[in-house]
Amino acid sequence: MISENNLLRITNCYVCGKPLNSRPRIFNSEINVIPEGLDRAHKVKSCVYRCNYCKSFLCNPIQEQKNYSESLCYEASERTLRNSAIFYPYSNNLIPDSLEDKIKDHVLVDFGCGAGFFTKEIKTYVKKVIGVDLDPNGIASLKKNNIEAHIGDLETLEKLKFNSLSMVGVIEHFKNPMDFLKSCEKILPKKNAAFLIYYPNPNSLSSFLANLSNNPWDMFLEPGHYAFPSKNYLISQMSRYGFKCETYWTTSNISRGKNPFGIRRNIFIEKSLRYCIQRYSFIKAIYVLLFKLIDFFKLGDIHCYFFIR
């Protein structure tokens, strides 16, 4: 009989493939109320490693989870889309100013588009945008907005013609993220191509505060989250594929009223903050400013990369 500890154990780094010699942190977490935007179950057990070689974080969750499907990704994405009707849901723009002139004549595929918040945002920057996702709900919502969209995966990409590619919250779902990115870059043109990659930042202020309090960071507990490549390793590997990191920044989802200095998430505090942000403009200004300060030091919740070749 295989023990739970053996199930939790990861022997080789998902990112670089080197043997893991570091000791893992095993988190047991129990919460009474699930904060908005989290797909996790009431009880979670997760094993988290940091690779000594590439400095990436790896996660192996074992949990009793509600039936997990791609639709859960759609629901979280759709919630962000709804919140965007009130104010821009991120502390830092997902689309850098330096991008506009470089991809204005491009066809861009937003891979793992979900409900299409980013797809709709970047539509005005490119000649054409195409959404690709496994969940039919996300694809249907994009088609309603007259955006070309396809249900599919990597094989679908191989059938499309495009110059640029974006992935928001995608690569952390792969146990072999660099192999996946290598497959993607082979499909892109060898010149005049752009690649935008966004995924959770384990070196964020939120993660640091969670560690101080011995509470697990949210993103280590989400279903299907496995790999978080380190900044330096991702940039070096993308360079091997001919991609230069044009811009790197961080951002955080601020539309849900998350406490930037909280050691753990609390749904009641978040609802109260969100109410105040929506009702009082001066509180909203201070709230956004705090997150912008966090982004200034590159400590936001989300890694953001703009690669070109």
Side-chain angles (χ1 to χ4, degrees):
M1 183 174 178
I2 300 175
S3 70
E4 187 178 85
N5 286 336
N6 286 332
L7 286 173
L8 283 166
R9 182 164 177 78
I10 304 171
T11 55
N12 291 82
C13 176
Y14 293 149
V15 177
C16 68
K18 301 288 186 181
L20 286 171
N21 300 315
S22 59
R23 293 174 61 88
R25 296 188 67 186
I26 298 178
F27 293 116
N28 289 281
S29 178
E30 183 172 341
I31 55 175
N32 294 321
V33 182
I34 301 175
E36 185 180 1
L38 293 185
D39 298 327
R40 51 168 289 192
H42 173 62
K43 293 182 180 180
V44 177
K45 187 169 187 177
S46 188
C47 182
V48 179
Y49 285 85
R50 187 168 188 258
C51 177
N52 287 331
Y53 178 77
C54 70
K55 310 305 180 186
S56 300
F57 283 86
L58 320 160
C59 183
N60 190 18
I62 290 184
Q63 54 183 285
E64 291 181 8
Q65 178 64 43
K66 58 188 176 181
N67 291 330
Y68 183 70
S69 68
E70 296 301 324
S71 64
L72 290 176
C73 296
Y74 166 77
E75 288 169 11
S77 177
E78 197 271 337
R79 197 174 288 119
T80 297
L81 197 58
R82 284 203 315 268
N83 292 341
S84 68
I86 301 167
F87 64 94
Y88 191 77
Y90 292 95
S91 57
N92 220 341
N93 201 325
L94 290 177
I95 303 172
D97 294 335
S98 58
L99 179 145
E100 187 170 0
D101 290 338
K102 293 181 171 60
I103 64 169
K104 61 183 180 181
D105 297 323
H106 284 204
V107 175
L108 180 140
V109 170
D110 186 21
F111 187 81
C113 58
F117 173 78
F118 183 80
T119 320
K120 294 171 184 176
E121 283 285 302
I122 204 163
K123 180 181 178 183
T124 59
Y125 290 80
V126 295
K127 181 179 179 181
K128 181 181 179 181
V129 66
I130 303 171
V132 174
D133 200 286
L134 287 172
D135 182 61
N137 293 321
I139 299 307
S141 66
L142 286 178
K143 288 183 175 179
K144 287 179 181 178
N145 288 274
N146 297 317
I147 295 175
E148 182 181 339
H150 303 271
I151 300 172
D153 50 19
L154 188 60
E155 290 183 1
T156 306
L157 286 183
E158 294 171 350
K159 299 172 185 176
L160 299 173
K161 292 184 178 180
F162 56 96
N163 310 85
S164 298
L165 191 58
S166 63
M167 296 180 184
V168 182
V170 173
I171 68 168
E172 67 270 23
H173 291 272
F174 287 85
K175 288 186 177 180
N176 54 348
M178 300 315 300
D179 288 345
F180 171 67
L181 290 177
K182 185 175 182 179
S183 297
C184 292
E185 71 84 14
K186 287 180 178 178
I187 304 171
L188 285 163
K190 295 302 179 184
K191 292 184 179 180
N192 195 28
F195 205 153
L196 291 105
I197 302 173
Y198 307 76
Y199 61 96
N201 176 16
N203 296 310
S204 65
L205 178 64
S206 294
S207 179
F208 174 74
L209 292 173
N211 286 333
L212 280 182
S213 65
N214 205 33
N215 290 311
W217 183 47
D218 292 342
M219 293 298 102
F220 288 151
L221 303 174
E222 286 282 276
H225 281 195
Y226 298 107
F228 306 82
S230 67
K231 174 189 171 186
N232 289 341
Y233 191 78
L234 178 67
I235 290 176
S236 68
Q237 292 302 298
M238 292 298 288
S239 177
R240 292 179 61 187
Y241 306 151
F243 280 95
K244 172 189 173 185
C245 184
E246 180 78 3
T247 311
Y248 165 75
W249 70 106
T250 69
T251 191
S252 300
N253 191 309
I254 59 174
S255 65
R256 296 165 189 160
K258 182 178 179 180
N259 177 5
F261 304 111
I263 60 175
R264 67 171 68 202
R265 293 189 67 172
N266 183 296
I267 193 171
F268 303 109
I269 292 176
E270 291 184 12
K271 283 184 175 179
S272 299
L273 266 172
R274 190 175 173 201
Y275 172 81
C276 292
I277 292 165
Q278 293 174 8
R279 187 174 178 85
Y280 305 107
S281 59
F282 73 96
I283 293 180
K284 173 186 169 184
I286 294 171
Y287 185 73
V288 173
L289 184 62
L290 286 173
F291 274 100
K292 286 189 176 297
L293 182 63
I294 292 169
D295 288 326
F296 177 80
F297 293 101
K298 305 291 193 298
L299 294 174
D301 291 336
I302 305 169
H303 279 303
C304 305
Y305 300 89
F306 172 30
F307 292 102
I308 58 171
R309 72 175 176 189

Coordinates of all heavy atoms in Angstrom, one line a residue, residues 62-136:
I62 N -2.7 17.2 -2.3 CA -3.6 16.1 -2.1 C -4.7 16.6 -1.2 O -4.5 17.1 -0.1 CB -2.8 14.9 -1.3 CG1 -1.8 14.3 -2.3 CG2 -3.8 13.9 -0.8 CD1 -1.1 13.1 -1.7
Q63 N -5.9 16.5 -1.8 CA -7.0 17.1 -1.1 C -8.3 16.5 -1.5 O -8.4 15.9 -2.6 CB -7.1 18.6 -1.4 CG -7.1 18.9 -2.9 CD -7.1 20.4 -3.1 OE1 -8.1 21.1 -3.0 NE2 -5.9 20.9 -3.5
E64 N -9.3 16.6 -0.6 CA -10.7 16.2 -1.0 C -11.2 17.4 -1.7 O -11.4 18.5 -1.1 CB -11.5 15.8 0.2 CG -11.1 14.6 0.9 CD -11.9 14.2 2.1 OE1 -12.9 14.9 2.3 OE2 -11.6 13.3 2.8
Q65 N -11.5 17.3 -3.0 CA -11.8 18.5 -3.8 C -13.1 18.2 -4.5 O -13.4 17.1 -4.9 CB -10.7 18.7 -4.8 CG -11.0 19.9 -5.7 CD -11.0 21.2 -5.0 OE1 -10.2 21.4 -4.1 NE2 -12.0 22.0 -5.4
K66 N -13.9 19.3 -4.6 CA -15.1 19.1 -5.4 C -14.7 18.8 -6.8 O -13.5 19.0 -7.2 CB -15.9 20.5 -5.4 CG -15.1 21.7 -5.8 CD -15.9 22.9 -5.6 CE -15.1 24.2 -6.0 NZ -15.8 25.4 -5.8
N67 N -15.5 18.2 -7.6 CA -15.2 17.7 -8.9 C -14.5 18.9 -9.7 O -15.2 19.9 -10.0 CB -16.4 17.2 -9.7 CG -16.9 15.9 -9.1 OD1 -16.1 15.1 -8.5 ND2 -18.2 15.7 -9.2
Y68 N -13.3 18.7 -9.9 CA -12.5 19.8 -10.6 C -12.6 19.7 -12.1 O -12.3 18.6 -12.6 CB -11.1 19.8 -10.1 CG -10.3 21.0 -10.7 CD1 -10.5 22.2 -10.3 CD2 -9.3 20.8 -11.7 CE1 -9.8 23.3 -10.8 CE2 -8.6 21.8 -12.2 CZ -8.9 23.1 -11.8 OH -8.2 24.1 -12.3
S69 N -12.9 20.7 -12.7 CA -13.0 20.7 -14.2 C -12.5 22.1 -14.7 O -12.3 23.0 -13.9 CB -14.4 20.5 -14.7 OG -15.2 21.6 -14.4
E70 N -12.3 22.2 -16.0 CA -11.9 23.5 -16.5 C -12.9 24.6 -16.3 O -12.6 25.8 -16.3 CB -11.6 23.3 -18.0 CG -10.5 22.4 -18.4 CD -9.2 22.8 -17.8 OE1 -8.9 24.0 -17.7 OE2 -8.4 21.9 -17.3
S71 N -14.2 24.2 -16.0 CA -15.2 25.2 -15.8 C -14.9 26.0 -14.6 O -15.3 27.2 -14.5 CB -16.6 24.6 -15.7 OG -16.6 23.7 -14.5
L72 N -14.2 25.5 -13.6 CA -13.8 26.2 -12.4 C -12.9 27.4 -12.8 O -13.0 28.5 -12.2 CB -13.2 25.3 -11.4 CG -14.1 24.3 -10.7 CD1 -13.3 23.4 -9.8 CD2 -15.2 25.0 -9.9
C73 N -12.0 27.1 -13.7 CA -11.1 28.2 -14.2 C -12.0 29.3 -14.9 O -11.7 30.5 -14.7 CB -10.1 27.7 -15.2 SG -8.9 26.5 -14.5
Y74 N -13.0 28.8 -15.6 CA -13.9 29.8 -16.2 C -14.6 30.6 -15.2 O -14.7 31.8 -15.4 CB -14.9 29.0 -17.1 CG -16.1 29.9 -17.6 CD1 -15.9 30.9 -18.6 CD2 -17.3 29.9 -16.9 CE1 -16.9 31.7 -19.0 CE2 -18.3 30.7 -17.3 CZ -18.2 31.6 -18.3 OH -19.2 32.4 -18.7
E75 N -15.1 30.0 -14.1 CA -15.8 30.7 -13.1 C -15.0 31.8 -12.5 O -15.5 32.9 -12.3 CB -16.4 29.8 -12.1 CG -17.5 28.9 -12.6 CD -17.8 27.8 -11.7 OE1 -17.3 27.8 -10.5 OE2 -18.6 26.8 -12.1
A76 N -13.7 31.5 -12.1 CA -12.9 32.5 -11.5 C -12.6 33.6 -12.5 O -12.6 34.8 -12.2 CB -11.5 31.8 -11.1
S77 N -12.4 33.3 -13.8 CA -12.1 34.3 -14.8 C -13.4 35.1 -15.1 O -13.2 36.4 -15.3 CB -11.7 33.6 -16.1 OG -11.5 34.5 -17.2
E78 N -14.5 34.5 -15.1 CA -15.7 35.2 -15.3 C -16.0 36.2 -14.2 O -16.6 37.3 -14.4 CB -16.9 34.2 -15.4 CG -18.2 34.8 -16.1 CD -19.1 35.4 -15.1 OE1 -19.0 35.0 -13.9 OE2 -19.9 36.3 -15.5
R79 N -15.6 35.9 -12.9 CA -15.8 36.7 -11.8 C -15.0 38.0 -11.9 O -15.4 39.1 -11.6 CB -15.4 36.0 -10.5 CG -15.9 36.6 -9.2 CD -15.7 35.7 -8.0 NE -16.5 34.5 -8.0 CZ -16.0 33.3 -8.1 NH1 -14.7 33.1 -8.2 NH2 -16.9 32.3 -8.1
T80 N -13.7 37.8 -12.4 CA -12.9 39.0 -12.7 C -13.5 39.9 -13.8 O -13.4 41.1 -13.7 CB -11.5 38.5 -13.1 OG1 -10.9 37.7 -12.1 CG2 -10.6 39.7 -13.5
L81 N -14.1 39.2 -14.8 CA -14.7 40.0 -15.8 C -15.9 40.8 -15.3 O -16.0 42.0 -15.7 CB -15.2 39.0 -16.9 CG -15.5 39.6 -18.3 CD1 -14.3 40.3 -18.9 CD2 -16.0 38.5 -19.2
R82 N -16.7 40.2 -14.4 CA -17.8 41.0 -13.8 C -17.3 42.1 -13.0 O -17.8 43.2 -13.0 CB -18.6 40.0 -12.9 CG -19.5 39.1 -13.7 CD -20.7 38.6 -12.8 NE -20.3 38.2 -11.4 CZ -19.9 37.0 -11.1 NH1 -19.9 36.0 -12.0 NH2 -19.6 36.7 -9.8
N83 N -16.2 41.9 -12.2 CA -15.7 42.9 -11.3 C -15.1 44.1 -12.1 O -15.1 45.2 -11.6 CB -14.6 42.3 -10.4 CG -15.2 41.4 -9.4 OD1 -16.4 41.4 -9.1 ND2 -14.4 40.5 -8.8
S84 N -14.7 43.8 -13.3 CA -14.1 44.9 -14.2 C -15.1 45.9 -14.6 O -14.7 47.0 -15.0 CB -13.4 44.2 -15.4 OG -14.4 43.7 -16.3
A85 N -16.4 45.7 -14.4 CA -17.4 46.7 -14.7 C -17.3 47.8 -13.7 O -17.8 48.9 -14.0 CB -18.8 46.0 -14.7
I86 N -16.8 47.6 -12.5 CA -16.7 48.6 -11.5 C -15.4 49.4 -11.6 O -15.4 50.6 -11.6 CB -16.8 47.9 -10.1 CG1 -18.2 47.2 -10.0 CG2 -16.8 49.0 -9.0 CD1 -18.3 46.2 -8.9
F87 N -14.3 48.7 -11.7 CA -13.0 49.3 -11.9 C -12.0 48.3 -12.4 O -12.2 47.1 -12.3 CB -12.5 50.1 -10.7 CG -12.2 49.2 -9.5 CD1 -10.9 48.7 -9.3 CD2 -13.1 48.9 -8.6 CE1 -10.6 47.9 -8.2 CE2 -12.9 48.1 -7.5 CZ -11.6 47.6 -7.3
Y88 N -10.9 48.7 -12.9 CA -9.9 47.8 -13.5 C -9.4 46.8 -12.4 O -9.0 47.3 -11.3 CB -8.7 48.6 -14.1 CG -7.8 47.7 -14.9 CD1 -8.1 47.3 -16.2 CD2 -6.6 47.2 -14.4 CE1 -7.3 46.5 -17.0 CE2 -5.7 46.4 -15.2 CZ -6.1 46.1 -16.5 OH -5.3 45.2 -17.2
P89 N -9.6 45.5 -12.6 CA -9.4 44.6 -11.5 C -8.0 44.2 -11.2 O -7.8 43.4 -10.3 CB -10.1 43.3 -12.1 CG -10.0 43.4 -13.5 CD -10.1 44.9 -13.9
Y90 N -7.0 44.9 -11.8 CA -5.6 44.6 -11.4 C -4.8 45.9 -11.0 O -5.1 47.0 -11.5 CB -4.9 44.0 -12.6 CG -5.4 42.6 -12.9 CD1 -6.4 42.4 -13.9 CD2 -4.9 41.5 -12.2 CE1 -6.9 41.1 -14.2 CE2 -5.4 40.2 -12.5 CZ -6.4 40.0 -13.5 OH -6.8 38.7 -13.7
S91 N -3.9 45.7 -10.1 CA -3.1 46.9 -9.6 C -2.2 47.4 -10.6 O -1.9 48.6 -10.6 CB -2.3 46.4 -8.4 OG -1.4 45.4 -8.7
N92 N -1.7 46.6 -11.5 CA -0.9 47.0 -12.6 C -1.4 46.5 -13.9 O -2.0 45.4 -14.0 CB 0.5 46.5 -12.4 CG 1.6 47.5 -12.8 OD1 1.4 48.4 -13.5 ND2 2.8 47.2 -12.3
N93 N -1.4 47.3 -15.0 CA -2.0 46.9 -16.3 C -1.4 45.6 -16.8 O -0.1 45.4 -16.7 CB -1.7 48.0 -17.3 CG -2.7 47.9 -18.4 OD1 -3.1 46.8 -18.8 ND2 -3.1 49.1 -18.9
L94 N -2.2 44.7 -17.2 CA -1.7 43.4 -17.8 C -1.0 43.6 -19.2 O -0.3 42.7 -19.6 CB -2.9 42.5 -18.0 CG -3.5 41.9 -16.7 CD1 -4.7 41.0 -17.0 CD2 -2.5 41.1 -15.9
I95 N -1.2 44.8 -19.8 CA -0.7 45.0 -21.1 C 0.3 46.2 -21.0 O -0.1 47.3 -20.7 CB -1.8 45.3 -22.1 CG1 -2.8 44.2 -22.2 CG2 -1.2 45.6 -23.5 CD1 -4.0 44.4 -23.0
P96 N 1.6 46.0 -21.1 CA 2.6 47.1 -21.0 C 2.5 48.1 -22.1 O 2.2 47.7 -23.3 CB 3.9 46.3 -20.9 CG 3.7 45.1 -21.7 CD 2.2 44.7 -21.4
D97 N 2.9 49.3 -21.9 CA 2.9 50.3 -22.9 C 3.9 50.0 -24.1 O 3.6 50.3 -25.2 CB 3.4 51.7 -22.3 CG 2.4 52.2 -21.3 OD1 1.2 51.8 -21.4 OD2 2.8 53.0 -20.4
S98 N 5.0 49.3 -23.8 CA 6.0 48.9 -24.8 C 5.4 47.9 -25.8 O 6.1 47.7 -26.8 CB 7.2 48.4 -24.1 OG 7.0 47.3 -23.3
L99 N 4.3 47.3 -25.5 CA 3.8 46.2 -26.4 C 3.1 46.7 -27.6 O 3.2 46.1 -28.7 CB 2.8 45.3 -25.5 CG 2.2 44.2 -26.2 CD1 2.0 43.0 -25.2 CD2 0.8 44.5 -26.7
E100 N 2.4 47.9 -27.5 CA 1.5 48.3 -28.6 C 2.1 48.3 -30.0 O 1.6 47.8 -30.9 CB 0.9 49.7 -28.2 CG -0.2 50.1 -29.1 CD -0.9 51.3 -28.7 OE1 -0.5 51.9 -27.6 OE2 -1.8 51.8 -29.4
D101 N 3.3 49.0 -30.1 CA 3.9 49.1 -31.5 C 4.4 47.8 -32.0 O 4.6 47.7 -33.2 CB 5.0 50.2 -31.4 CG 4.4 51.6 -31.2 OD1 3.2 51.8 -31.6 OD2 5.1 52.5 -30.8
K102 N 4.7 46.9 -31.1 CA 5.4 45.7 -31.5 C 4.4 44.6 -32.0 O 4.9 43.7 -32.7 CB 6.2 45.1 -30.3 CG 7.4 46.0 -30.0 CD 8.2 45.4 -28.9 CE 9.5 46.2 -28.7 NZ 9.3 47.6 -28.4
I103 N 3.2 44.7 -31.7 CA 2.2 43.6 -32.1 C 1.0 44.1 -32.8 O 0.0 43.4 -33.0 CB 1.8 42.7 -30.9 CG1 1.0 43.5 -29.8 CG2 3.0 42.0 -30.2 CD1 0.4 42.7 -28.8
K104 N 1.0 45.4 -33.1 CA -0.2 46.0 -33.7 C -0.7 45.3 -35.0 O -1.9 45.3 -35.4 CB -0.1 47.5 -33.9 CG 1.0 47.9 -34.9 CD 1.2 49.4 -34.9 CE 2.3 49.8 -35.9 NZ 2.4 51.3 -35.9
D105 N 0.3 44.7 -35.7 CA -0.1 44.0 -37.0 C -0.1 42.5 -36.8 O -0.2 41.7 -37.8 CB 1.0 44.3 -38.1 CG 1.0 45.8 -38.4 OD1 -0.1 46.4 -38.4 OD2 2.0 46.3 -38.7
H106 N -0.2 42.0 -35.6 CA -0.1 40.6 -35.3 C -1.5 40.0 -35.1 O -2.4 40.6 -34.7 CB 0.7 40.3 -34.0 CG 2.2 40.5 -34.2 ND1 3.1 39.9 -33.4 CD2 2.9 41.1 -35.1 CE1 4.3 40.2 -33.8 NE2 4.2 41.0 -34.8
V107 N -1.5 38.6 -35.3 CA -2.6 37.8 -34.9 C -2.2 37.1 -33.6 O -1.1 36.4 -33.6 CB -3.0 36.8 -36.0 CG1 -4.1 35.8 -35.4 CG2 -3.5 37.4 -37.3
L108 N -2.9 37.3 -32.5 CA -2.5 36.8 -31.2 C -3.5 35.8 -30.8 O -4.7 36.0 -30.8 CB -2.3 37.9 -30.2 CG -1.9 37.5 -28.8 CD1 -1.0 38.5 -28.2 CD2 -3.1 37.4 -27.9
V109 N -3.0 34.7 -30.2 CA -3.8 33.6 -29.6 C -3.7 33.7 -28.1 O -2.6 33.7 -27.6 CB -3.4 32.2 -30.1 CG1 -4.1 31.2 -29.2 CG2 -3.7 32.0 -31.6
D110 N -4.8 33.9 -27.5 CA -4.9 33.9 -26.0 C -5.2 32.5 -25.6 O -6.4 32.1 -25.6 CB -5.9 34.9 -25.5 CG -5.9 35.0 -24.0 OD1 -4.9 34.7 -23.4 OD2 -6.9 35.5 -23.4
F111 N -4.2 31.7 -25.2 CA -4.3 30.3 -24.8 C -4.7 30.2 -23.4 O -4.1 30.7 -22.5 CB -3.0 29.6 -25.1 CG -3.0 28.1 -25.0 CD1 -3.5 27.3 -26.0 CD2 -2.6 27.5 -23.8 CE1 -3.6 25.9 -25.9 CE2 -2.7 26.1 -23.7 CZ -3.2 25.3 -24.7
G112 N -5.8 29.4 -23.1 CA -6.3 29.3 -21.8 C -7.1 30.5 -21.4 O -7.0 31.1 -20.3
C113 N -7.9 31.0 -22.4 CA -8.5 32.4 -22.3 C -9.6 32.5 -21.2 O -10.0 33.6 -20.8 CB -9.1 32.8 -23.6 SG -10.3 31.6 -24.3
G114 N -10.2 31.3 -20.7 CA -11.2 31.4 -19.7 C -12.4 32.2 -20.2 O -12.8 32.0 -21.4
A115 N -12.9 33.1 -19.4 CA -14.1 33.9 -19.8 C -13.7 35.0 -20.7 O -14.6 35.7 -21.3 CB -14.8 34.5 -18.6
G116 N -12.4 35.3 -20.9 CA -11.9 36.2 -21.9 C -11.6 37.6 -21.4 O -11.6 38.5 -22.3
F117 N -11.3 37.9 -20.2 CA -11.0 39.2 -19.7 C -9.8 39.8 -20.5 O -9.8 40.8 -21.1 CB -10.7 39.3 -18.2 CG -10.2 40.7 -17.8 CD1 -11.1 41.7 -17.7 CD2 -8.9 40.9 -17.6 CE1 -10.6 43.0 -17.3 CE2 -8.4 42.1 -17.2 CZ -9.3 43.2 -17.1
F118 N -8.7 39.0 -20.5 CA -7.5 39.4 -21.1 C -7.7 39.5 -22.7 O -7.2 40.3 -23.3 CB -6.3 38.5 -20.8 CG -5.0 39.0 -21.4 CD1 -4.3 40.0 -20.8 CD2 -4.5 38.4 -22.5 CE1 -3.1 40.4 -21.3 CE2 -3.3 38.8 -23.1 CZ -2.6 39.8 -22.5
T119 N -8.4 38.5 -23.2 CA -8.7 38.4 -24.6 C -9.3 39.7 -25.1 O -8.9 40.3 -26.1 CB -9.6 37.2 -24.9 OG1 -9.2 36.1 -24.1 CG2 -9.5 36.8 -26.4
K120 N -10.3 40.2 -24.4 CA -11.0 41.4 -24.8 C -10.1 42.6 -24.6 O -10.2 43.6 -25.3 CB -12.3 41.5 -23.9 CG -13.3 40.4 -24.3 CD -14.5 40.4 -23.3 CE -15.4 39.3 -23.6 NZ -16.5 39.2 -22.6
E121 N -9.3 42.6 -23.6 CA -8.4 43.7 -23.3 C -7.4 43.9 -24.5 O -7.1 45.0 -24.9 CB -7.6 43.5 -22.0 CG -8.4 43.8 -20.8 CD -8.6 45.3 -20.5 OE1 -7.6 46.0 -20.4 OE2 -9.8 45.7 -20.4
I122 N -6.8 42.8 -24.9 CA -5.7 42.9 -25.9 C -6.2 43.0 -27.3 O -5.5 43.3 -28.2 CB -4.7 41.7 -25.7 CG1 -3.4 42.1 -26.3 CG2 -5.3 40.4 -26.4 CD1 -2.3 41.1 -25.8
K123 N -7.5 42.8 -27.5 CA -8.1 42.9 -28.8 C -7.8 44.2 -29.5 O -7.6 44.2 -30.7 CB -9.6 42.7 -28.7 CG -10.3 42.7 -30.0 CD -11.9 42.5 -29.8 CE -12.6 42.6 -31.2 NZ -14.1 42.5 -31.0
T124 N -7.8 45.3 -28.8 CA -7.6 46.6 -29.4 C -6.1 46.9 -29.7 O -5.8 47.8 -30.4 CB -8.1 47.7 -28.4 OG1 -7.4 47.6 -27.2 CG2 -9.6 47.6 -28.2
Y125 N -5.2 46.0 -29.3 CA -3.8 46.2 -29.5 C -3.3 45.4 -30.7 O -2.1 45.6 -31.1 CB -3.0 45.8 -28.3 CG -3.1 46.7 -27.1 CD1 -4.2 46.5 -26.3 CD2 -2.2 47.6 -26.8 CE1 -4.4 47.4 -25.1 CE2 -2.3 48.4 -25.7 CZ -3.4 48.3 -24.9 OH -3.6 49.1 -23.8
V126 N -4.0 44.5 -31.2 CA -3.6 43.6 -32.3 C -4.5 43.6 -33.5 O -5.6 44.1 -33.4 CB -3.4 42.1 -31.8 CG1 -2.4 42.0 -30.7 CG2 -4.8 41.6 -31.3
K127 N -4.0 43.1 -34.6 CA -4.8 43.0 -35.8 C -6.0 42.1 -35.6 O -7.1 42.4 -36.0 CB -4.0 42.5 -37.0 CG -4.7 42.4 -38.3 CD -3.7 41.9 -39.3 CE -4.4 41.7 -40.7 NZ -3.4 41.2 -41.7
K128 N -5.8 41.0 -34.9 CA -6.8 40.0 -34.6 C -6.4 39.2 -33.3 O -5.3 38.9 -33.2 CB -7.0 39.1 -35.8 CG -8.1 38.0 -35.6 CD -8.2 37.1 -36.8 CE -9.3 36.0 -36.7 NZ -9.4 35.2 -37.8
V129 N -7.4 38.8 -32.5 CA -7.2 38.0 -31.4 C -8.0 36.7 -31.5 O -9.2 36.8 -32.0 CB -7.4 38.7 -30.0 CG1 -8.9 39.1 -29.9 CG2 -7.0 37.9 -28.9
I130 N -7.5 35.6 -31.1 CA -8.2 34.3 -31.1 C -8.1 33.7 -29.7 O -7.0 33.6 -29.1 CB -7.6 33.4 -32.1 CG1 -7.6 34.0 -33.5 CG2 -8.3 32.0 -32.1 CD1 -6.8 33.2 -34.6
G131 N -9.2 33.3 -29.2 CA -9.2 32.6 -27.9 C -9.2 31.1 -28.0 O -9.9 30.5 -28.9
V132 N -8.4 30.4 -27.2 CA -8.4 28.9 -27.2 C -8.5 28.5 -25.7 O -7.7 28.9 -24.9 CB -7.1 28.4 -27.8 CG1 -7.0 26.9 -27.6 CG2 -7.0 28.7 -29.3
D133 N -9.4 27.6 -25.4 CA -9.6 27.1 -24.1 C -10.3 25.7 -24.1 O -11.0 25.4 -25.1 CB -10.4 28.0 -23.2 CG -10.2 27.8 -21.7 OD1 -10.8 26.8 -21.2 OD2 -9.5 28.7 -21.1
L134 N -10.1 24.9 -23.1 CA -10.7 23.6 -23.0 C -12.2 23.7 -22.6 O -12.9 22.8 -22.9 CB -10.0 22.7 -22.1 CG -8.6 22.2 -22.5 CD1 -7.9 21.4 -21.4 CD2 -8.8 21.2 -23.7
D135 N -12.5 24.8 -22.0 CA -13.9 24.9 -21.4 C -14.8 25.5 -22.4 O -14.6 26.7 -22.9 CB -13.9 25.7 -20.2 CG -15.2 25.9 -19.6 OD1 -15.8 24.8 -19.2 OD2 -15.8 27.0 -19.5
P136 N -15.9 24.9 -22.8 CA -16.8 25.4 -23.8 C -17.6 26.7 -23.3 O -18.0 27.5 -24.2 CB -17.8 24.3 -24.0 CG -17.7 23.4 -22.8 CD -16.3 23.5 -22.3

